[in-house]
Amino acid sequence: MVSVRPEHLAFAAEGAGAEAVVLAREFRGHAVTYTLALGQQEVQLHDTGQALHAEGQRVWVCAVRAGRVVR
């Protein structure tokens, strides 16, 4: 099992990362937290909100920091 924090992920250019679908977004003042369907998993991603992504939109994400093996 690998633990990946929301700040370890970032949006990538189309085709430059793993494909995901936006399930929800929550505005948090200085940032936006997205809930994404990434394969069979739900993950969260924190973003600055410079470019807003709509629920149901297909996006690409990449890791900007390594996750940690927890098991």
Side-chain angles (χ1 to χ4, degrees):
M1 180 184 306
V2 175
S3 174
V4 178
R5 296 186 51 84
E7 58 270 16
H8 293 172
L9 299 174
F11 289 111
E14 184 173 337
E19 187 175 337
V21 176
V22 177
L23 299 176
R25 68 180 182 194
E26 182 179 350
F27 296 97
R28 296 182 166 258
H30 67 285
V32 180
T33 298
Y34 288 92
T35 301
L36 307 171
L38 182 62
Q40 298 297 316
Q41 301 294 315
E42 282 189 16
V43 297
Q44 290 192 321
L45 179 153
H46 294 317
D47 190 60
T48 61
Q50 298 282 42
L52 295 177
H53 302 286
E55 290 181 20
Q57 184 176 350
R58 187 171 55 154
V59 295
W60 284 262
V61 297
C62 62
V64 293
R65 285 158 96 195
R68 293 187 183 258
V69 176
V70 294
R71 188 175 356 165

